[in-house]
Amino acid sequence: MNKKAIIVPVALLVVAAAGISWYRQRDAAAKVGTIYGNVDIREATLAFRVAGRVAAFNVDEGATVKAGDVIASLDPEPLQNALSASEGTEAALAARNSLVHHGFRTEDIEQAKARLASAKSALVEAERQLARQQALAPEGAAPQKALDGAQTARDQAAAQVKVMEEQVRTMTTGFRKEEVAESDAQLRQAQAQARSARLALKDAVLTAPSDGVILSRSIEKGTMVQNGTPAFSLSLTNPVWVRAYASESQLGTFAPGAKVTLHTDASPDKVYKGAVGFVSPTAEFTPKPVETSDLRTSLVYRLRVIVENADDQLRQGMPVTVRLAK
């Protein structure tokens, strides 16, 4: 047999085997460096924190908003009235609390002493009139009604003297520590109520928490809403994430911080850049929406890829191919 005829086929088989091995290695490397996932754009449900009647809304479905933009507001009048009432109570208790801590002015104390002296003089006169009626009673010259009236007047004058004496004592010696503590507590309560009223008035204006697009609106002007009733659904434009899944053998490749490129079927030539930001510590079965070359029963680890140059072509749930950046 011709040796050359044998060597050539063998050489061809060796080359073919080498080629197959190279292609298999390249395919395996590509598999290790490629994972799949879906665009995961966060959504926020916006609602008023207070109840009220919708006075106006400034955006509708599809509107683009910036963080801090006013998108709706409630009728502020009831909340403003509540704030005015709470601020009035706070002011009154603040004045009372200042008095409790600093005591009365000298002028006030002198006036109280003068009222006490006047009450004592009234008591002396009432006692004199009572004594006169009592002296006339045995002779029958004073009717019982007059005697009873004089006794009542005397008792009232004596009670007034006691009230004035207690007032002078309080103004002179100051308030007890229990009274001071009670006044402090009442003032703190009033201040907290005023802060709550101010916050409620502020919450009557609904603002966008971040940049995004209004997906839906569920309120109308004049609608009565309760606190927490959903008013708008907002799709956040930043950040845009991709929820991807990697096998255990790919975890070393797609570690946190790894730079990646992303491609979509809608724009295969468009290259998005990103980085792995989170890798789940627990394994799970591959979700059905994710297209992978492995069996869907394979255990995988969830990754969060942060897209650095996202645009409006990335839509919620869009399939994405993620490759390790070269």
Side-chain angles (χ1 to χ4, degrees), residues 24-58:
R24 285 180 176 176
Q25 291 176 0
R26 188 186 68 172
D27 185 58
K31 288 182 179 179
V32 171
T34 302
I35 58 177
Y36 304 88
N38 301 88
V39 176
D40 188 9
I41 299 176
R42 296 303 187 188
E43 295 181 9
T45 299
L46 309 183
F48 290 101
R49 195 157 58 173
V50 294
R53 178 173 58 84
V54 178
F57 61 88
N58 303 328

Side-chain angles (χ1 to χ4, degrees), residues 36-40 42 241-245 290 302-305:
Y36 304 88
N38 301 88
V39 176
D40 188 9
R42 296 303 187 188
W241 299 334
V242 167
R243 186 187 298 269
Y245 296 85
V290 178
R302 176 168 50 88
L303 283 72
R304 177 187 297 162
V305 178

Side-chain angles (χ1 to χ4, degrees), residues 43 88 121 130 137 164 182 202 244 261 263 280 309:
E43 295 181 9
S121 298
L130 176 60
M164 292 295 102
E182 181 184 24
K202 180 181 178 181
T261 59
H263 303 268
S280 174
N309 58 333

Side-chain angles (χ1 to χ4, degrees), residues 88-210:
T89 301
E90 179 188 12
L93 290 176
R96 171 66 180 173
N97 185 257
S98 177
L99 176 63
V100 167
H101 277 277
H102 297 96
F104 293 87
R105 299 180 305 170
T106 303
E107 296 85 345
D108 296 331
I109 296 175
E110 293 302 322
Q111 290 178 2
K113 289 180 178 179
R115 290 192 294 271
L116 173 60
S118 177
K120 287 182 176 180
S121 298
L123 175 60
V124 171
E125 178 60 24
E127 288 177 340
R128 188 181 68 79
Q129 292 295 334
L130 176 60
R132 180 172 177 275
Q133 293 298 328
Q134 289 174 339
L136 295 175
E139 301 176 1
Q144 186 63 38
K145 182 178 180 179
L147 180 60
D148 293 341
Q151 182 66 51
T152 301
R154 186 268 175 194
D155 292 342
Q156 290 178 345
Q160 187 66 20
V161 168
K162 290 184 178 180
V163 170
M164 292 295 102
E165 287 176 342
E166 180 63 23
Q167 190 178 72
V168 170
R169 185 195 65 78
T170 299
M171 297 176 71
T172 303
T173 60
F175 293 88
R176 295 176 299 174
K177 62 179 182 180
E178 294 83 2
E179 293 174 320
V180 174
E182 181 184 24
S183 177
D184 290 342
Q186 290 174 342
L187 178 59
R188 287 195 299 269
Q189 183 180 20
Q191 290 171 337
Q193 290 174 345
R195 287 195 298 269
S196 296
R198 294 187 192 99
L199 181 60
L201 183 60
K202 180 181 178 181
D203 287 338
V205 177
L206 186 61
T207 59
S210 61

Side-chain angles (χ1 to χ4, degrees), residues 7 16 51 77 81 84 103 110 135 186 205 231 257 275 292-293 316:
I7 294 173
E77 185 174 357
N81 292 340
S84 297
E110 293 302 322
Q186 290 174 342
V205 177
T292 69
S293 58
Q316 179 71 31

